[in-house]
């Protein structure tokens, strides 16, 4: 009979219990940052495993839920497990790219005693700067105005939508910065967007401009910024890749955001006594 040679287990560099603790904290921190800023679950698990192995442990097991991460590092039969709560911080692709670059650096770097310190230093120095709120709000307003114009609105409709989108985004950023509940933020911003967009009705009713049946476009386009497209895409991606609990959680979160936007719109329409709207 042919002799089957057994593969020898990979020899791991010696790391102390304290070093394994540090590696565990770095891995769970990587997972938390990636989840908080909108990364999909498959990439979160992959990055934490790659980072742990690069830093010297034998393996990393990571379990995700919608608001928590549970992570275990394995080294020569020794396990260290930690759990962390996660808070949604909004989408920031720049931070996701920086985390991936840190993991790639750890994989390509020479294994030495300072590697853990270097990775920790890079995680501490992640650039979290964003575009100025006024600039971001202006471009969101332009996108809503372009949507209104492409759907048949004239320059007056586009201008009203631009102002409504700009003001709505500024309010949304202000409320989010003060840590309001995200569903309350969406209700308030949808209410304000509908009020501002509905000014097209009153301009037409008072004879200031002739908009005909185009006033609906301003109302519909003003709330375009509240569509939770990124959470829905992540939810579908997680479900298709087997992370059912994460996908369902993100889908429910996106559905509640959509419902909150509808609540704000309906309240504004009832207050203004506008019977219908739509494109």
């Amino acid at each position: 009979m042919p002799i089957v040679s057994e593969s020898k287990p990979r020899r791991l560099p010696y790391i102390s219990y304290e070093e394994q603790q540090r590696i565990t904290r770095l891995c769970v921190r990587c997972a938390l940052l990636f989840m908080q800023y909108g990364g999909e679950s498959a990439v979160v698990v992959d990055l934490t495993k790659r980072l742990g192995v690069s830093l010297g442990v034998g393996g990393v097991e990571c379990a995700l839920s919608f608001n928590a991460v549970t992570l275990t590092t394995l080294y020569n039969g020794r396990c260290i497990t930690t759990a962390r709560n996660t808070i949604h911080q909004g989408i920031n692709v720049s931070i996701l790219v920086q985390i991936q670059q840190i993991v790639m650096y750890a994989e390509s770097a020479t294994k030495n005693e300072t590697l853990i310190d270097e990775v920790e230093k890079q995680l501490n120095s992640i650039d979290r700067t964003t575009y100025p709120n006024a600039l971001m709000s202006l471009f969101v307003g332009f996108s809503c105005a372009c949507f209104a114009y492409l759907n048949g609105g004239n320059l007056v409709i586009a201008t009203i939508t631009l102002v409504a989108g700009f003001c709505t985004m500024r309010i949304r950023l202000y409320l989010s910065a003060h840590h309001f509940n995200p569903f309350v933020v969406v209700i308030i911003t949808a209410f304000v967007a509908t009020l501002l967009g509905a000014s097209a009705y009153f301009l037409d009713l008072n004879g200031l401009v002739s908009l005909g049946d185009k006033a609906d476009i301003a109302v519909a386009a003003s709330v375009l910024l509240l569509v939770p497209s990124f959470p829905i895409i992540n939810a579908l991606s997680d479900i298709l890749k087997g992370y059912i609990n994460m996908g369902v959680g993100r889908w429910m979160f996106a559905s509640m955001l959509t419902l909150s936007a509808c609540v704000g719109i309906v309240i504004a329409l009832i207050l203004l006594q506008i019977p219908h709207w739509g494109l």
Side-chain angles (χ1 to χ4, degrees):
M1 295 180 61
I3 299 176
V4 178
S5 59
E6 297 182 357
S7 59
K8 296 182 180 179
R10 181 170 63 94
R11 294 190 62 182
L12 300 174
Y14 174 76
I15 58 174
S16 64
Y17 183 80
E18 289 75 16
E19 289 175 323
Q20 187 179 355
Q21 283 184 315
R22 292 184 64 191
I23 294 172
T24 304
R25 286 193 291 266
L26 290 176
C27 289
V28 77
R29 185 177 176 185
C30 171
L32 282 175
L33 286 172
F34 217 83
M35 283 185 62
Q36 287 175 345
Y37 291 100
E40 60 177 284
S41 302
V43 182
V44 172
V45 174
D46 178 63
L47 288 179
T48 53
K49 290 183 177 182
R50 289 165 54 189
L51 179 61
V53 172
S54 300
L55 295 178
V57 297
V60 177
E61 299 295 333
C62 185
L64 305 177
S65 63
F66 181 71
N67 59 353
V69 177
T70 303
L71 185 138
T72 300
T73 56
L74 311 171
Y75 173 76
N76 289 342
R78 187 173 67 202
C79 303
I80 296 180
T81 301
T82 185
R84 297 287 190 277
N85 290 328
T86 178
I87 300 174
H88 182 67
Q89 300 285 352
I91 309 302
N92 193 322
V93 179
S94 174
I95 292 179
L96 303 185
V97 172
Q98 291 178 71
I99 295 171
Q100 290 176 314
Q101 290 174 341
I102 292 172
V103 174
M104 293 172 63
Y105 164 78
E107 289 179 323
S108 61
T110 304
K111 305 299 183 294
N112 53 53
E113 296 178 354
T114 64
L115 181 58
I116 298 177
D117 295 328
E118 285 294 325
V119 171
E120 186 173 14
K121 181 180 178 182
Q122 290 188 26
L123 285 174
N124 290 334
S125 61
I126 286 179
D127 184 12
R128 288 180 169 82
T129 57
T130 58
Y131 293 108
N133 289 345
L135 181 63
M136 190 185 307
S137 302
L138 179 62
F139 277 93
V140 168
F142 271 121
S143 66
C144 294
C146 292
F147 180 81
Y149 187 79
L150 291 174
N151 280 275
N154 54 25
L155 292 179
V156 176
I157 292 292
T159 303
I160 293 172
T161 306
L162 170 62
V163 175
F166 175 83
C167 296
T168 302
M169 192 62 187
R170 287 304 302 266
I171 293 173
R172 184 178 188 179
L173 292 173
Y174 175 82
L175 295 176
S176 299
H178 287 76
H179 308 290
F180 279 74
N181 183 285
F183 306 121
V184 175
V185 172
V186 171
I187 291 175
I188 295 174
T189 51
F191 177 79
V192 174
T194 306
L195 286 180
L196 296 175
S199 61
Y201 283 101
F202 300 101
L203 290 175
D204 189 33
L205 289 175
N206 295 326
L208 299 177
V209 291
S210 179
L211 300 177
D213 58 350
K214 302 295 185 181
D216 288 340
I217 297 176
V219 179
S222 298
V223 296
L224 179 65
L225 60 97
L226 298 175
V227 177
S229 55
F230 208 97
I232 291 176
I233 293 172
N234 272 345
L236 291 175
S237 176
D238 288 344
I239 292 173
L240 293 175
K241 293 180 180 179
Y243 296 89
I244 305 298
N245 58 340
M246 279 294 298
V248 171
R250 284 177 164 172
W251 184 272
M252 288 303 300
F253 181 75
S255 300
M256 288 300 299
L257 290 178
T258 305
L259 178 61
S260 300
C262 293
V263 170
I265 294 169
V266 170
I267 293 174
L269 294 179
I270 293 174
L271 180 65
L272 297 173
Q273 298 181 351
I274 297 175
H276 66 278
W277 69 284
L279 294 177

